[in-house]
Amino acid sequence: MLSRTADNLFWLSRYVERAENMARLMEMGYRMALMPAAGDGNRSEWASVLSASGCAQGYDPDMPLRQAEVADYLIFNRDNSSSILNCFENARANARAMRTAITAEMWEALNNALMELRRTAMHNLAKTDLPEFIDWVKRQGALFRGATDSTILRNDGYDFIRLGIFIERADNTARLLDVKYYVLLPETSMVGDGVDNYQWTTVLRAASSLRAFHWVYRDDYSPYHIAHFLILNPFSPRSLAHCSEQITNHLEHLARHYGQRSPVHSLAVETYSLLTQTRMDEIFSQGLHEFLSDFLKRNQTLSSAIAETYYFGGQ
């Protein structure tokens, strides 16, 4: 496969996943801001979403940190490279660049999503009913993945698509958990109370993991078990451990396909081994924020190593 095509497939899937993940971050902020004890004007929750999204630097400091302004910045702002609109625009640009490498169903799912997002009605929906807009974005991500999984060949192109999905998903799960850290920074006295427990369950809801968590841990919604489910549980589809396992597996597929291994494979195995050998007690002792920050750096290094190994141009 040409490196340009591999690059386009990798980033196509990353941008679609990123759009959905940005919606999940906003869902967390929205749910946390519903709590009466959350603070004045929901400021801390939306500031937390900005900080965890990695987009805070581009946010106008003169703009208020309220739902309307932050949501508009994360959804429609053209200057924010990770806004949902830009993600869908970039995803379609990558799809168009190698139109013959994807199926008609994949193209239609992506093109239809962008056309609908550009309509004035969607701008109004985001302002008047943010939860419904968030659900719409998540549905578009699910439609694209469904079209991909049911129609594309299981060749090296599929591996690059899956690599993009799980690199981006691992990044998002770490950021969802980190929102919890940022929210509690101003008021550490809240740790362990009803607000704290509610905020932990919002992490599960934003990750679409509430029912799956209940199957494993029943009604024990403790921070320990929620963090374990989203970090170390290999059966949780959005956990760091599961994402890392999938990244390692698809890199192994590529190594067999091309008949060559490289340092990126060892790097992926190292990250996966870290997650399989670490216990939650050790993570909490180290500090959840510190662990997640280290993982995000590892994930970024792995992404760059994949690009270098397969000669991506970078986006």
Side-chain angles (χ1 to χ4, degrees):
M1 174 174 287
L2 293 174
S3 60
R4 180 182 297 179
T5 302
D7 183 28
N8 290 141
L9 290 171
F10 177 78
W11 279 101
L12 162 62
S13 61
R14 282 200 72 167
Y15 280 126
V16 174
E17 187 75 17
R18 185 175 297 179
E20 181 180 346
N21 291 339
M22 191 64 73
R24 292 180 184 278
L25 279 171
M26 287 192 292
E27 180 178 5
M28 269 201 68
Y30 178 83
R31 288 183 179 276
M32 287 185 178
L34 291 176
M35 288 298 292
D40 297 333
N42 303 334
R43 177 185 177 90
S44 64
E45 285 73 21
W46 289 103
S48 301
V49 170
L50 268 180
S51 297
S53 71
C55 302
Q57 188 174 0
Y59 190 77
D60 187 346
D62 295 326
M63 292 289 288
L65 289 165
R66 297 180 306 209
Q67 175 182 313
E69 288 78 11
V70 175
D72 184 73
Y73 174 72
L74 295 177
I75 298 171
F76 296 113
N77 193 295
R78 292 282 186 178
D79 295 327
N80 176 10
S81 60
S82 293
S83 70
I84 291 174
L85 178 59
N86 276 336
C87 284
F88 276 112
E89 294 271 13
N90 290 332
R92 195 182 71 161
N94 278 280
R96 177 177 285 169
M98 43 85 200
R99 180 68 181 81
T100 57
I102 63 173
T103 65
E105 290 80 2
M106 293 169 67
W107 170 259
E108 288 170 6
L110 184 57
N111 191 57
N112 290 344
L114 179 58
M115 292 299 99
E116 188 171 354
L117 182 59
R118 286 174 171 174
R119 293 173 183 164
T120 303
M122 294 306 291
H123 286 254
N124 295 335
L125 180 63
K127 292 178 180 178
T128 60
D129 193 347
L130 184 60
E132 177 57 32
F133 177 84
I134 288 169
D135 286 343
W136 177 86
V137 176
K138 291 192 292 186
R139 286 196 299 272
Q140 305 317 302
L143 282 171
F144 178 78
R145 285 193 304 275
T148 301
D149 287 343
S150 61
T151 62
I152 200 167
L153 290 174
R154 268 38 176 182
N155 55 14
D156 52 343
Y158 179 73
D159 287 317
F160 286 116
I161 288 173
R162 299 287 284 179
L163 282 172
I165 288 173
F166 287 109
I167 284 283
E168 194 67 34
R169 184 174 296 178
D171 181 273
N172 175 252
T173 297
R175 292 183 186 279
L176 281 175
L177 285 164
D178 224 19
V179 169
K180 187 68 183 67
Y181 166 81
Y182 281 112
V183 165
L184 283 182
L185 268 180
E187 301 178 64
T188 54
S189 61
M190 292 165 54
V191 175
D193 69 3
V195 174
D196 181 40
N197 294 334
Y198 173 82
Q199 289 172 345
W200 275 106
T201 60
T202 65
V203 180
L204 288 174
R205 290 182 184 276
S208 299
S209 299
L210 193 63
R211 180 65 60 85
F213 177 89
H214 180 75
W215 289 334
V216 178
Y217 301 106
R218 309 307 295 174
D219 295 324
D220 187 0
Y221 293 100
S222 65
Y224 182 97
H225 283 144
I226 292 174
H228 180 272
F229 188 73
L230 293 176
I231 296 176
L232 301 182
N233 192 314
F235 302 107
S236 171
R238 290 189 169 271
S239 74
L240 304 187
H242 178 76
C243 292
S244 184
E245 180 183 19
Q246 292 300 311
I247 291 168
T248 303
N249 289 344
H250 285 289
L251 283 172
E252 186 61 34
H253 293 168
L254 291 173
R256 291 199 299 267
H257 182 83
Y258 295 127
Q260 182 178 359
R261 299 182 65 84
S262 64
V264 70
H265 297 89
S266 299
L267 186 61
V269 170
E270 178 185 332
T271 302
Y272 180 48
S273 297
L274 171 69
L275 292 167
T276 56
Q277 296 171 11
T278 301
R279 294 179 302 140
M280 280 310 305
D281 292 337
E282 297 170 335
I283 292 176
F284 277 115
S285 295
Q286 174 188 348
L288 181 60
H289 174 65
E290 287 72 20
F291 177 85
L292 295 172
S293 296
D294 178 70
F295 177 83
L296 286 169
K297 290 177 183 176
R298 286 176 176 271
N299 200 51
Q300 179 57 49
T301 300
L302 183 57
S303 176
S304 299
I306 292 172
E308 182 178 346
T309 300
Y310 297 105
Y311 307 105
F312 293 176
Q315 296 191 36

